[in-house]
Amino acid sequence: MGTAIEWVADPDGFAALAPDWDRLLPEDARPFDLHCWYMAWWQAFGAGREPAICIARRGGELVGAMPLVRDGRRLGAMANTHSPVFRPLARDGEAREQLIGAVLADGAAELTLTALPDGDPSVERLRIDAAPMRAAFEAGQVSPIVETSGEFEEWRKRSKRRWGAPLERFRRKMGRDHEAELSIVEPPADLETELEDGFRVEASGWKGAQGTAILSTPETHAFYGSIAREFHARDELRLSSIVLDGQTAAFDLCLLHRGRLYLLKTGFDESFRRLAPGLVMRLSIVERCFELGLDAHELLGDDSEWKRKFATGERRHVGLRAYSHTPLGFARRAYRSGLRPRLRDAYRRLGPRRR
């Protein structure tokens, strides 16, 4: 029985794939593979582009899916900076090969895939099939992971020297000097109220100042609100917070999926900085993951110093840029590799003078 390739290019057709989509997911599926994740992404960030969902069917059954967006002659992953992981989804090797082959043969002048997990079977397939094109893989983000399948005390002994602060003493001081409430890895009791309060805290510090907070743009706010509601309905949303004297000092937005706790967003109120509420909350969350018997707490995103205080491992990612053997493909590659960096450097040099 052969594998048939189809392209879904309208939002209604994309929405209709939901039941079949989630049935094809592999054993190591992450929340970012689910149909509801991509649907929320499309509704928040898809303006001005067309959905381009490449799917594979065998005997009428969905056996592969690769969610992409089309912007003129450019084809790209349905992913951006808010997407921790992106990968083609396939039931087996044949479906994966057919799916990737169809995407590479689409005729787009440029194909851009980001946040591919290094070591995933799709990456090796892409390396083979994209070789005839003007293609290049680039190192992507390195996301720390805290493995929590052993004993908490063993992890504590190994990591405590990296904490950089007496976090356990700070936690006791919170309880001694304040009316302290710690809610750690819990489903929300009042979803909208807790989200509103948490998003406010997350935007109160440097993230708000730099425009990277959830509340910084309507699109980002809509995306995380939709993700929270979708996963709350699945009983996979988990929030954590530290409240001192009635004021939220730290907040965490996580997804609990297949024995792993994934950190989407975190923030703390800098007026409580002396008590390191963000780090105290992270220690409490890791401890709770051990208590719950979870496999890992995935910190996602880029590597950073505070994540390394707790991490025991990491996941590496790569990106792919491939260009067709056409005048437009050549022009896009030349712009991306040569002209664009020079223009960016020139803008940076002129920036201070303009200000």
Side-chain angles (χ1 to χ4, degrees), residues 48-93:
R49 291 175 282 188
E50 299 177 1
I53 319 300
C54 187
I55 62 173
R57 291 190 186 276
R58 190 179 301 142
E61 182 182 6
L62 189 69
V63 294
M66 193 167 176
L68 305 170
V69 291
R70 195 181 301 278
D71 186 359
R73 293 292 306 281
R74 178 181 176 275
L75 198 60
M78 193 174 279
N80 59 8
T81 57
H82 302 287
S83 306
V85 181
F86 172 87
R87 61 177 178 169
L89 304 169
R91 179 73 52 80
D92 50 43

Side-chain angles (χ1 to χ4, degrees), residues 44-350:
F45 303 117
R49 291 175 282 188
E50 299 177 1
I53 319 300
C54 187
I55 62 173
R57 291 190 186 276
R58 190 179 301 142
E61 182 182 6
L62 189 69
V63 294
M66 193 167 176
L68 305 170
V69 291
R70 195 181 301 278
D71 186 359
R73 293 292 306 281
R74 178 181 176 275
L75 198 60
M78 193 174 279
N80 59 8
T81 57
H82 302 287
S83 306
V85 181
F86 172 87
R87 61 177 178 169
L89 304 169
R91 179 73 52 80
D92 50 43
E94 179 188 346
R96 184 180 301 109
E97 183 175 354
Q98 294 293 322
L99 196 68
I100 290 174
V103 169
L104 292 173
D106 170 74
E110 179 182 354
L111 172 66
T112 305
L113 304 178
T114 61
L116 294 161
D118 201 7
D120 189 84
S122 62
V123 173
E124 184 58 30
R125 189 73 251 169
L126 283 162
R127 290 187 190 277
I128 296 170
D129 290 354
M133 304 178 69
R134 297 185 183 95
F137 281 87
E138 305 167 347
Q141 63 192 18
V142 178
S143 301
I145 301 172
V146 187
E147 302 292 343
T148 59
S149 57
E151 295 294 330
F152 173 73
E153 283 304 321
E154 287 299 316
W155 171 85
R156 177 179 175 275
K157 289 176 184 177
R158 294 195 308 271
S159 65
K160 187 174 182 179
R161 67 181 184 276
R162 302 196 305 268
W163 295 351
L167 301 182
E168 293 164 319
R169 182 163 63 83
F170 284 172
R171 185 165 57 185
R172 293 192 296 270
K173 183 175 175 61
M174 288 177 181
R176 185 173 62 249
D177 297 349
H178 301 269
E179 184 178 334
E181 300 175 34
L182 276 69
S183 177
I184 305 299
V185 191
E186 296 288 350
D190 184 343
L191 177 62
E192 298 302 328
T193 298
E194 292 177 46
L195 286 182
E196 181 180 357
D197 184 55
F199 291 174
R200 176 190 57 78
V201 171
E202 194 256 351
S204 66
W206 65 268
K207 292 181 183 180
Q210 294 187 4
T212 62
I214 291 173
L215 296 180
S216 294
T217 68
E219 295 81 6
T220 306
H221 187 197
F223 174 66
Y224 283 99
S226 179
I227 288 295
R229 295 179 194 101
E230 289 286 349
F231 282 88
H232 181 50
R234 297 170 58 92
D235 192 28
E236 293 184 342
L237 178 69
R238 294 295 183 270
L239 305 182
S240 298
S241 64
I242 294 178
V243 178
L244 302 178
D245 301 326
Q247 184 175 346
T248 302
F251 169 79
D252 237 34
L253 175 68
C254 289
L255 302 179
L256 178 58
H257 186 75
R258 297 195 178 189
R260 304 176 83 87
L261 186 71
Y262 296 87
L263 170 64
L264 295 185
K265 283 289 187 176
T266 188
F268 68 93
D269 187 330
E270 294 187 1
S271 66
F272 293 101
R273 177 180 290 275
R274 61 186 177 82
L275 290 173
L279 297 179
V280 169
M281 181 176 66
R282 188 65 46 210
L283 172 61
S284 300
I285 289 171
V286 172
E287 187 172 8
R288 182 63 175 148
C289 287
F290 277 98
E291 292 173 356
L292 293 172
L294 302 183
D295 293 329
H297 180 28
E298 302 231 10
L299 302 180
L300 303 179
D302 290 323
D303 198 359
S304 62
E305 182 182 357
W306 75 261
K307 294 178 183 179
R308 286 293 168 187
K309 294 177 185 293
F310 305 96
T312 60
E314 64 187 23
R315 175 176 289 108
R316 293 183 174 270
H317 303 82
V318 297
L320 169 68
R321 292 190 185 277
Y323 303 89
S324 64
H325 289 280
T326 64
L328 182 56
F330 178 81
R332 285 183 176 272
R333 182 174 182 269
Y335 170 75
R336 176 73 63 174
S337 62
L339 182 58
R340 182 178 178 181
R342 289 196 294 271
L343 289 173
R344 184 171 58 241
D345 291 343
Y347 177 81
R348 288 172 178 169
R349 288 195 299 269
L350 291 172

